[in-house]
Amino acid sequence: MNAYAAVDLGASSGRVVVGRVGDGRLDLETVHRFPNNPVRAGGTLHWDVLALYAGILDGLRAAGPVHSVGVDAWAVDYGLVDATGALLGNPVHYRDGRTDGWRATAQRLGEQRLYATTGLQQLPFNTLYQLTAASGSPQLAAARHLLLIPDLVGYWLTGEIGAEETNASTTQLYDVRARAWATDLIADAGLPTSLFPPLRRPGDRIGPVRADAALPYPTDVVAVGSHDTASAVVGVPADGPDFAYISCGTWSLVGVELDAPVLTEDSRRANFTNEGGVDGTIRYLRNVMGLWLLQECLREWGDGDLDALLRAAAAEPAFGAVVDADDPVFLPPGDMPARIARECRRTGQSAPESRPALVRCIMDSLALAHRRAVRAAIALSGRDVRVVHLVGGGARNALLCQLTADACGLAVVAGPVEATAVGNVLVQARAAGALRGGLAELRKLARETHELLAYAPRGDTAAWDAAAGRLG
């Protein structure tokens, strides 16, 4: 069996996972985990990307000999590199407030034009708005290349400059139909087109790991679906095309897989996004705030026993209070319990009076957001859906999985939890010739090698309709 190292960087932690593929088997082993702790300095929230890179190298050393390495991470954030190859400051975190004036840029460039070209959901932290917020800065003036986070890691590992297209497609600077940088749009935004490096596709060989990485074995870096959701969707264990997916972690990415983008005015108004997927597919989805609400509550409370909280929340009455999980008021870090209580009172509801009641509010609200996004994806794309696959860390949350099935009125299949690493490894294995075929064949292996849990809807449609009606 060949071994492959998947480097998976998330918003709160990173890990290196070794996947072994062969003879109908796919075995995963997490060999190293490390924290991802943002740092606020000088009033700006940054990623500590050097600490992340050190964690990656420690993990690759712990992995032992592997055939190749693939890197995936979150979208939109980037590092700027100068003509000497030096990084011009730590990348800024997408939750930083520097893009608060993003709407002026959207209006200047034309929201309909932006959508017709990029197919991207309007989000204040899209790379386009981060870059225009940085216009006139010394860093941008000195920059030679813009590298999204996985591309920056790949550059440090190999010395090769490039941009993998699934992550490039999240920038709002990529032409989703031409599958190329939107150079006219970039120029009209006042940005130098030379910043944007040549595009790569998942499965392309990037290059050998440099000697100064000091790995005890030689290996190559291979491009994968470097947006973590692109890799997660590869790891969805679907049997056929009639599925929706929810890649659930800090964010919930809710959508369907298509062959072509949906660029209608209805789609734009619904704020759906068309992101590139592996093998030329389109991830037609909506970003939902996800488990961020719960994570921020736990941080405010000093963590605590999450399993006990979820058991207690399951015993709370349904729909005691619900909030719009996608409300921008919940986007920044801060006192999440207080913000949820304020939103409940603002909408004429009583605020939850206990931690379990607050957790139940979050779970009900997130299930409602999943329902809204799944139903919209079906209506806007015309795709038939008979099952929802919920992958990622949220697949461990039995309460959320059951509530999502109830809210959507569809069966939910939960797992694999490690879908992102699964997809990362499968693309590497196919590039090495250890696997053959398209996404259906890759997903068959994922389906046959992972334990999956099924949740049937319990038929409370009227109660969910009434709860949704509270949110307008």
Side-chain angles (χ1 to χ4, degrees):
M1 294 175 70
N2 285 340
Y4 309 89
V7 175
D8 177 29
L9 302 178
S12 59
S13 66
R15 68 222 173 108
V16 176
V17 178
V18 174
R20 294 178 174 83
V21 179
D23 299 323
R25 293 177 59 189
L26 169 59
D27 300 327
L28 298 180
E29 178 189 5
T30 300
V31 296
H32 187 55
R33 287 186 182 273
F34 45 96
N36 183 2
N37 295 320
V39 178
R40 188 171 293 279
T44 299
L45 188 63
H46 295 274
W47 297 105
D48 189 354
V49 72
L50 293 178
L52 290 177
Y53 187 61
I56 290 167
L57 292 179
D58 287 343
L60 293 178
R61 291 173 189 130
V66 293
H67 187 274
S68 62
V69 176
V71 182
D72 66 72
W74 66 93
V76 305
D77 291 336
Y78 59 87
L80 296 173
V81 174
D82 72 10
T84 71
L87 180 66
L88 295 164
N90 274 328
V92 177
H93 196 297
Y94 62 82
R95 294 191 192 272
D96 184 75
R98 68 175 176 161
T99 59
D100 288 348
W102 68 277
R103 288 193 183 277
T105 299
Q107 291 167 0
R108 176 172 65 84
L109 294 172
E111 293 192 30
Q112 290 177 318
R113 176 199 181 188
L114 284 168
Y115 198 77
T117 303
T118 71
L120 255 286
Q121 178 180 1
Q122 288 285 22
L123 292 168
F125 47 71
N126 287 346
T127 314
L128 166 62
Y129 304 125
Q130 294 198 44
L131 284 168
T132 53
S135 181
S137 67
Q139 290 89 346
L140 192 56
R144 178 67 61 86
H145 300 291
L146 176 144
L147 296 175
L148 298 166
I149 299 300
D151 302 321
L152 178 62
V153 173
Y155 168 63
W156 280 339
L157 286 172
T158 67
E160 298 294 329
I161 294 284
E164 190 279 315
E165 64 181 12
T166 69
N167 220 346
S169 75
T170 71
T171 60
Q172 212 167 17
L173 295 161
Y174 173 92
D175 188 322
V176 69
R177 289 170 297 183
R179 296 177 67 185
W181 291 116
T183 51
D184 289 348
L185 179 60
I186 290 168
D188 288 349
L191 302 170
T193 57
S194 59
L195 271 182
F196 299 88
L199 290 164
R200 304 173 176 130
R201 294 184 176 179
D204 288 352
R205 178 180 179 271
I206 296 175
V209 173
R210 296 161 52 116
D212 60 14
L215 298 188
Y217 53 85
T219 191
D220 286 341
V221 178
V222 169
V224 296
S226 71
H227 184 201
D228 49 14
T229 308
S231 279
V233 172
V234 174
V236 167
D239 185 9
D242 50 352
F243 69 94
Y245 58 82
I246 302 174
S247 180
C248 182
T250 299
W251 289 89
S252 282
L253 292 306
V254 185
V256 293
E257 185 176 73
L258 303 176
D259 296 325
V262 179
L263 301 174
T264 63
E265 181 63 10
D266 285 344
S267 181
R268 183 186 75 83
R269 290 184 179 278
N271 217 17
F272 261 73
T273 201
N274 296 268
E275 296 175 354
V278 172
D279 289 0
T281 56
I282 294 293
R283 293 176 286 126
Y284 185 63
L285 60 87
R286 199 175 194 285
N287 286 49
V288 173
M289 202 75 73
L291 291 170
W292 166 251
L293 281 75
L294 179 60
Q295 292 165 353
E296 278 293 277
C297 287
L298 294 174
R299 187 185 62 78
E300 189 70 22
W301 295 333
D303 290 328
D305 187 338
L306 176 57
D307 290 339
L309 267 175
L310 289 171
R311 287 193 298 271
E316 289 286 322
F319 313 124
V322 291
V323 297
D324 181 357
D326 287 332
D327 194 308
V329 72
F330 300 127
L331 180 62
D335 188 345
M336 188 65 71
R339 277 182 281 169
I340 291 172
R342 282 196 298 271
E343 283 302 297
C344 290
R345 290 190 290 267
R346 187 185 66 79
T347 53
Q349 305 173 87
S350 297
E353 295 182 354
S354 67
R355 290 182 181 180
L358 182 55
V359 172
R360 181 56 185 255
C361 169
I362 293 171
M363 293 297 102
D364 285 344
S365 301
L366 187 50
L368 282 168
H370 288 167
R371 161 187 150 128
R372 182 171 60 214
V374 167
R375 290 187 172 189
I378 293 169
L380 293 165
S381 70
R383 171 57 54 87
D384 290 330
V385 169
R386 64 178 178 83
V387 62
V388 177
H389 283 274
L390 195 153
V391 300
R396 293 192 183 98
N397 189 324
L399 176 59
L400 179 59
C401 293
Q402 183 61 64
L403 293 176
T404 298
D406 296 342
C408 295
L410 291 165
V412 168
V413 175
V417 171
E418 307 290 354
T420 301
V422 168
N424 183 319
V425 166
L426 288 174
V427 168
Q428 290 186 69
R430 187 175 64 175
L435 296 174
R436 304 202 180 273
L439 292 174
E441 288 75 20
L442 299 186
R443 288 172 176 150
K444 182 174 184 288
L445 183 58
R447 189 168 61 249
E448 292 176 347
T449 55
H450 285 81
E451 181 180 358
L452 308 174
L453 296 175
Y455 297 84
R458 295 177 296 194
D460 262 344
T461 305
W464 286 98
D465 288 345
R470 294 193 216 170
L471 303 178

